[in-house]
Amino acid sequence: MTRDELRAFLAPLPDEAILGLTLYGEARGEPIEGMVAVGCVIRNRMQDAKARWGKTYRDVCLKRLQFSCWNPDDADPNFQRVLKAATGLMASPVVTDPALEQCSWTAIGISRGALADNTKAANHYHVGSMQPRPSWAQGFAPLAQRGAHVFYRL
């Protein structure tokens, strides 16, 4: 699936759903503070004055090579899981997966500004167990750790 095909497939879903699906793909096994932190990174990117990542949650979440759960050319098993969840949301707005429901509620809180930033304005993160750290994180001090993720501002 190309990036354009992915965007076309997801077109019926609102931005909050794309944000919730991204949380599902990136942080569904995290404690709520970790899930909120990943959502805050996405919101911080959306609010970036230079709009480097996009101006909407959809644009930020689906930007090429930014969130591995949306990389169709990747071997990330989350891509298929997120596509299946997206297909389910398009078929019925009733969410039966408890993890997806939690991600969806968190997305609503993030997008509506009801959840405070717990990352100290981070705009990047990686799984803390990743060794060595990603090249983009070299030379930057972590701002926070929430759940399994480590957060940075680049």
Side-chain angles (χ1 to χ4, degrees):
M1 179 178 287
T2 68
R3 183 68 44 180
D4 288 339
E5 290 169 336
L6 177 63
R7 283 182 169 278
F9 173 74
L10 296 170
L13 295 174
D15 275 20
E16 277 182 349
I18 300 299
L19 176 57
L21 288 164
T22 305
L23 294 177
Y24 184 70
E26 297 283 321
R28 78 180 161 279
E30 291 295 301
I32 191 68
E33 71 174 0
M35 192 178 295
V36 168
V38 170
C40 287
V41 165
I42 296 167
R43 182 173 61 200
N44 292 341
R45 286 182 176 196
M46 190 191 76
Q47 294 173 345
D48 179 73
K50 296 179 185 175
R52 293 175 281 186
W53 296 282
K55 294 181 180 182
T56 67
Y57 285 108
R58 176 182 306 273
D59 289 344
V60 172
C61 291
L62 299 178
K63 187 157 178 78
R64 187 174 178 275
L65 301 177
Q66 295 304 302
F67 297 98
S68 62
C69 70
W70 291 117
N71 292 339
D73 51 340
D74 238 5
D76 191 320
N78 285 316
F79 178 68
Q80 292 303 322
R81 184 172 286 193
V82 171
L83 277 186
K84 183 178 177 185
T87 301
L89 286 176
M90 286 186 253
S92 170
V94 177
V95 178
T96 58
D97 178 337
L100 181 57
E101 184 176 38
Q102 184 177 34
C103 293
S104 297
W105 280 106
T106 303
I108 290 167
I110 292 291
S111 68
R112 296 181 186 178
L115 295 172
D117 188 343
N118 65 356
T119 69
K120 301 179 184 173
N123 56 20
H124 284 73
Y125 66 91
H126 66 80
V127 175
S129 62
M130 186 180 286
Q131 293 301 326
R133 293 189 322 173
S135 59
W136 58 259
Q138 301 298 320
F140 290 94
L143 297 173
Q145 179 157 358
R146 303 284 182 254
H149 293 103
V150 179
F151 295 86
Y152 303 83
R153 179 156 187 89
L154 276 59

